[in-house]
Amino acid sequence: MLFEISGLTKRFDGLTAVSDVSFSIAQGDIVGIFGPNGSGKTTLLSLIAGMLTPSTGRIVWKGKEIQGHKPHDIAAAGVVKTFQNPQLFSELTVFEHLMIAGHLMLKRRLGWRRIATLFNTDTGQAGGDLEARAREVLRLCRLEGSRDQTAGVLSYGEEKMLGVAMALMCEPQLLLLDEPASGLGQSEIDSLEIVLRDLRAHGMTLCIIDHKVGFLGKLADRAISLHHGAKIAEGTPAEVLSNEHVIAAYLGR
Ligand SMILES: Nc1ncnc2c1ncn2[C@@H]1O[C@H](COP(=O)(O)OP(=O)(O)O)[C@@H](O)[C@H]1O
Ligand SMILES: [Mg+2]
């Protein structure tokens, strides 16, 4: 199995935000995790990406335990999280944001190479390769038309897509997305869906969280539902969405 977590728990003082969660993700899957606000979704992704250290439990990536490792080490190993609302520099262009993300990635990689799954270029060489990758990422994210626009003039949908694009500069093998569709209009959600399916077609594995069920229900191969930090259902999206515990959680009963 590409990725596996078992017994993952995170306590904040008196509150258990993630409670004994176990699941696995197979190569090439799109896994959707949903649950109402406050159900522990962002905490779960932050634990996986290394922004938080679990209280107990294991996170295994390609056979190695990574729980408690630093975010940059986890990212360099191929597990990258996008932010719900990316922090952008309003004066810098879309392309400049990608180059910054790429430089940070090269720096943290400290010289070691990994065979690129997404890009055909040999990514071990800096400079020109970084630009080539930025162009490929722009194409994948349908951001070519905004390449030279400053972040300050982007629509909210373009801002969020730029957050995804910056994560892609790190060459993730497992991409973790925190509510990528939130705040988007229907046409933006449709193009997001095309981009995410395209990434999967390029060999990427995706784990997406959302509190709304519509978008993820269509996109995900497998679904997991969280409630009060615990996994309450797992299966196909249709199975999970018809699960009585899931329905009760959403209706607040
Ligand atoms: N750093 C923190 N310190 C204390 N409590 C937190 C912290 N982060 C999240 N929580 C709490 O953990 C619970 C789950 O939060 P979160 O993971 O953000 O949920 P979701 O992303 O599903 O909305 C919430 O009750 C939230 O208030
Ligand atoms: Mg959240």
Side-chain angles (χ1 to χ4, degrees):
M1 194 56 76
L2 184 68
F3 176 82
E4 207 158 6
I5 66 177
S6 55
L8 200 66
T9 298
K10 178 64 178 179
R11 291 184 209 92
F12 295 113
D13 300 319
L15 181 121
T16 304
V18 171
S19 179
D20 195 23
V21 170
S22 303
F23 64 89
S24 56
I25 298 178
Q27 163 79 41
D29 263 2
I30 299 182
V31 173
I33 299 181
F34 36 118
N37 281 326
S39 57
K41 304 182 299 295
T42 295
T43 304
L44 176 62
L45 283 202
S46 299
L47 289 168
I48 295 171
M51 284 91 182
L52 292 171
T53 301
S55 305
T56 54
R58 297 191 315 144
I59 305 173
V60 179
W61 168 245
K62 293 184 169 178
K64 293 205 178 73
E65 293 193 20
I66 59 165
Q67 71 275 1
H69 289 199
K70 297 265 183 295
H72 57 263
D73 290 331
I74 293 175
V79 179
V80 179
K81 175 178 181 289
T82 68
F83 287 90
Q84 195 166 349
N85 293 296
Q87 298 297 308
L88 303 174
F89 301 97
S90 59
E91 309 293 313
L92 297 184
T93 67
V94 166
F95 195 75
E96 286 165 342
H97 277 89
L98 296 189
M99 293 303 284
I100 290 169
H103 276 293
L104 291 174
M105 179 273 301
L106 278 181
K107 210 172 140 189
R108 73 163 80 94
R109 191 173 292 169
L110 295 172
W112 68 270
R113 298 177 168 214
R114 195 178 60 234
I115 296 163
T117 50
L118 178 60
F119 305 99
N120 295 325
T121 49
D122 177 359
T123 55
Q125 291 171 24
D129 283 352
L130 213 52
E131 286 192 29
R133 183 157 63 246
R135 282 194 296 273
E136 173 72 351
V137 165
L138 283 175
R139 194 186 60 76
L140 277 168
C141 293
R142 314 293 197 272
L143 281 172
E144 291 143 308
S146 317
R147 177 201 146 110
D148 297 317
Q149 285 184 330
T150 55
V153 305
L154 297 178
S155 69
Y156 185 61
E158 288 168 328
E159 273 182 28
K160 293 200 73 156
M161 194 55 85
L162 178 53
V164 174
M166 289 171 73
L168 291 181
M169 288 303 290
C170 305
E171 283 181 65
Q173 295 161 53
L174 173 59
L175 182 64
L176 311 168
L177 298 111
D178 193 343
E179 305 212 7
S182 75
L184 301 188
Q186 191 54 51
S187 69
E188 290 172 321
I189 291 178
D190 293 343
S191 56
L192 174 70
E193 196 180 320
I194 292 169
V195 167
L196 296 179
R197 287 189 193 281
D198 220 22
L199 294 180
R200 192 251 298 268
H202 280 75
M204 207 175 288
T205 305
L206 304 176
C207 179
I208 307 171
I209 63 179
D210 215 323
H211 70 279
K212 285 178 295 184
V213 294
F215 161 73
L216 260 189
K218 267 200 297 172
L219 188 64
D221 303 303
R222 289 200 315 118
I224 288 160
S225 180
L226 292 183
H227 187 44
H228 296 317
K231 183 175 88 175
I232 56 169
E234 181 170 8
T236 65
E239 284 165 358
V240 168
L241 293 175
S242 61
N243 180 291
E244 59 177 319
H245 300 294
V246 175
I247 293 169
Y250 269 93
L251 295 178
R253 272 189 253 123

